[in-house]
Amino acid sequence: MKMKGAQLLAEALKKEGVDVLFGFPGGAVIPIFDALYAEPDIHVVLTRHEQGAVHAADGYARATGRPGS
């Protein structure tokens, strides 16, 4: 079965134990977000700014001890 790069990324994130992802969609990453939305095991949190996603992922990781991508 052939997989697209976005699907491979979603599978790799699942294998690493990522279940929450913080992101800022736009332009070139739309196929990635489409693949992430298709994964029921990954919850995508949309932020209003790229830096906000970084701070949210950092805070999530510190508070839970789990990876927040």
Side-chain angles (χ1 to χ4, degrees):
M1 178 174 123
K2 288 188 177 183
M3 295 178 75
K4 294 184 177 185
Q7 294 166 324
L8 289 171
L9 175 63
E11 285 296 319
L13 289 170
K14 282 182 13 182
K15 286 182 181 177
E16 289 297 319
V18 174
D19 57 357
V20 178
L21 184 118
F22 301 87
F24 181 74
V29 296
I30 294 298
I32 294 173
F33 276 88
D34 288 342
L36 292 170
Y37 287 134
E39 287 294 333
D41 298 332
I42 298 177
H43 176 72
V44 179
V45 178
L46 296 179
T47 60
R48 297 289 181 195
H49 195 272
E50 294 169 5
Q51 291 172 340
V54 172
H55 292 299
D58 181 50
Y60 177 83
R62 289 174 187 243
T64 65
R66 298 185 46 83
S69 293

